Amino acid sequence: MSIPILGIDLGTTNSAVGVVDSGFPILLADAAGKRLTPSVVHYLDGGGITVGEAAARSKVTAPDRVISSIKRKMGEGNHPEEVSAEILKHLKGIAEAALEQEVSQAVITVPAYFNDGQRNATKRAGELAGLEVVRILNEPTAAALAYGLDKLEDKSTVAVYDLGGGTFDISILELHDGVFRVLATQGDTSLGGDDFDIALAEFIWREGGDGSAFSSLEPSVMATVLGAAEILKKELSEKAEATVRLPFVLPGHHLEVDVTREDFDRVIRPILQRTVSPCRRALADSGVALEKLDAVIVVGGSTRSPGVRALVAEIFEQEVDTGQHPDEAIALGAVIQAGIIEGSLRNMVLLDVTPLSLGIETFGGLMNVIIPRNTTIPAKAGEMFTNAVPNQEAMLVRVLQGEREIANDNWELGKVELSFTPGPKASARVGVQFRIDENGILEVLARDTATNEDTILEIQSAAVDVDDEAVETMISESVEHAFTDMAQRQWVEDEQHAQELLAALTPSLEILGDEIEPDYLERICSAEAAVKAALEGNEHLRLKEAAKMLEAETEQLAVMLVEKMSGIS
Ligand code: ADP
Ligand code: MG
């Protein structure tokens, strides 16, 4: 048997590892039979290190030597990488013990909102642990893979609601031609099951403590009550009522409280409610209508609570999928992705698509997409372009690949200069067509419709054959810069509009000359000056307003021009 690629969920609270075994994705258990490993590292006094359950137990006795939730710090220097590497080494060890062979490659999941730096830090943590990271996979995509491609029709949209120990993520994904795309992602990086534990512990203490405030308790007593609250919470996922007993929690004080599921739901309500608006925002951002969602997938251990699932069903107005262990789904998805890469899950072959958008640069240095990302190949698409300035003799067609709004932020695959017959502005007609064949070879054809002359540029395989990692980087950067990119595009567009207004003004003023009332001329000149000032100052809002003003002021001018030209006045 060849060496399998590991699938790893490197979670904030818990981590898990698995492989494809005889065609089936499975998670691997440690020596104690556990498939989930707490993401906790204990740096022992003597220099040794323990990871997982043992480390988690030392949290109370050696709080300053035990590190948990390190994932929150990913990308902030070397330390988080080193701590994460210890967790990954531990998982690698679990896998090697279970498989009785050495492993060296892994797929590791990260939140969809992780930026480039955080993704690279995760990769480096893998390398420090002796693992080549063959793919960084988005957690919601992993969840959707575990849910099952077979249950989804092509062109479906799914919502993945992930509530873990300390983080909440909501993502809207689109499955198209066998490939998942994250349409929108929102969340709260400090919201999760830990908050339920605190709220429940406070409730238990109010009901059965000695009358003192929970916040005034000794750290060790607090930890005991918190631990009991977490156990109680898990019991209440299975039954409607449970009892918490803590004899001698304080000297001479026994605690015994009966708690119902309704009590629990009431206690967590305000916390849980905070997941509602991110869900609504993600839906709005994705542009997917509620009734168009084909599935709502819940993952993360905290969605084992029935109250949580009920709220999710309420938000999305549909039943949630309960077909899988919510805290194992992401690791299973990572395993499935590993299986696809190594070829052990052959029936899940994903179709060949363009991993990134292809387009050309247009005026103002913007990206004009001709074939969008995730288009199945072979594919063909085209667009008509014209000259932006009068008497232009040539146009540079720069073929670009990427998801950024600004041409220069994308990759240049090639360029070709296209000459055409000089004429007034917008008189030239140049058709640009992109064709990608079955082998991923991109052919760019540019045609001057006046002469019917073609210029052809062939770009070998680059259209489809892009390094996965580079694609991930490009996409995460486009998500990261979405707002600034969009603002930049709007600025360029408004700037061009303003320049056109200014350019049209001078000849009009010359033609009309004295016919313009001095008052009116003054208003026009001051509007013109405002536009110029905003342009110079790079002030977008002011430019918009000034351009609007100038447009309004010159309306009358246009009428006068037309009248003069047609000899009415
Ligand atoms: P993360 O993604 O943050 O690493 P998990 O998805 O494993 O973590 O979720 C851990 C959280 O799930 C913890 O707060 C834990 O208490 C909670 N949890 C685990 N099992 C249950 C259960 N049966 N009922 C309710 N909450 C649970
Ligand atoms: Mg998780």
Side-chain angles (χ1 to χ4, degrees), residues 207-508:
E207 297 286 306
D210 65 347
S212 61
F214 180 71
S215 57
S216 69
L217 295 177
E218 294 267 325
S220 67
V221 179
M222 219 182 235
T224 306
V225 183
L226 271 172
E230 190 185 2
I231 293 169
L232 180 72
K233 168 183 83 174
K234 291 181 180 174
E235 281 180 323
L236 289 173
S237 292
E238 306 304 322
K239 43 191 191 182
E241 199 175 336
T243 305
V244 52
R245 285 189 191 85
L246 293 172
F248 295 107
V249 64
L250 289 177
H253 184 78
H254 305 296
L255 177 149
E256 183 169 332
V257 184
D258 294 326
V259 183
T260 63
R261 198 178 270 172
E262 284 77 49
D263 292 329
F264 176 67
D265 286 346
R266 194 162 17 82
V267 163
I268 67 164
R269 191 85 199 164
I271 303 164
L272 194 52
Q273 212 58 38
R274 286 166 46 204
T275 68
V276 177
S277 72
C279 289
R280 301 229 192 286
R281 246 181 298 146
L283 259 183
D285 289 354
S286 72
V288 175
L290 203 57
E291 61 276 11
K292 286 275 167 6
L293 275 181
D294 298 296
V296 176
I297 303 167
V298 290
V299 293
S302 296
T303 65
R304 283 185 185 268
S305 290
V308 175
R309 292 180 177 204
L311 181 77
V312 181
E314 206 179 290
I315 297 172
F316 292 101
E317 294 174 16
Q318 65 170 280
E319 286 291 303
V320 300
D321 173 69
T322 52
Q324 50 189 345
H325 292 306
D327 34 18
E328 297 184 358
I330 287 170
L332 263 189
V335 171
I336 291 168
Q337 180 66 64
I340 292 170
I341 293 171
E342 71 195 3
S344 59
L345 284 174
R346 263 180 237 290
N347 52 342
M348 303 225 358
V349 168
L350 300 181
L351 288 168
D352 240 354
V353 296
T354 51
L356 293 169
S357 300
L358 295 161
I360 68 172
E361 174 175 351
T362 53
F363 316 117
L366 298 178
M367 166 78 162
N368 185 312
V369 172
I370 294 188
I371 298 186
R373 137 183 166 69
N374 282 347
T375 301
T376 319
I377 62 164
K380 191 165 83 174
E383 219 167 292
M384 203 60 108
F385 294 92
T386 188
N387 55 324
V389 271
N391 295 321
Q392 197 176 327
E393 289 182 353
M395 169 175 148
L396 182 69
V397 179
R398 271 179 85 201
V399 180
L400 304 170
Q401 182 172 41
E403 306 309 313
R404 306 289 300 274
E405 300 277 353
I406 310 305
N408 283 339
D409 290 334
N410 294 304
W411 305 323
E412 183 183 286
L413 297 183
K415 58 185 162 197
V416 57
E417 187 152 80
L418 196 71
S419 50
F420 41 75
T421 335
K425 183 183 160 175
S427 64
R429 288 269 172 276
V430 178
V432 174
Q433 188 181 63
F434 277 32
R435 271 201 305 242
I436 308 174
D437 68 11
E438 306 65 34
N439 303 315
I441 293 169
L442 170 67
E443 191 187 82
V444 178
L445 181 147
R447 174 175 298 169
D448 179 355
T449 54
T451 59
N452 263 345
E453 238 174 82
D454 286 346
T455 310
I456 293 177
L457 178 69
E458 196 172 272
I459 294 159
Q460 294 286 334
S461 82
V464 174
D465 224 7
V466 183
D467 181 38
D468 286 331
E469 194 188 321
V471 171
E472 294 267 3
T473 305
M474 171 59 79
I475 293 165
S476 66
E477 279 178 6
S478 79
V479 170
E480 193 186 343
H481 298 284
F483 289 109
T484 47
D485 274 12
M486 197 40 95
Q488 176 73 15
R489 172 182 277 275
Q490 277 160 354
W491 164 257
V492 170
E493 286 171 356
D494 289 338
E495 185 190 24
Q496 276 176 25
H497 175 62
Q499 297 285 15
E500 277 167 22
L501 282 178
L502 291 178
L505 192 58
T506 325
S508 319

Side-chain angles (χ1 to χ4, degrees), residues 9-15 71 109 111 139 162-165 167 169 299-301 326-327 330-331:
D9 170 8
L10 183 60
T12 310
T13 317
N14 293 305
S15 296
K71 187 174 177 178
T109 58
E139 286 166 10
D162 181 351
L163 190 61
T167 54
D169 299 308
V299 293
D327 34 18
I330 287 170

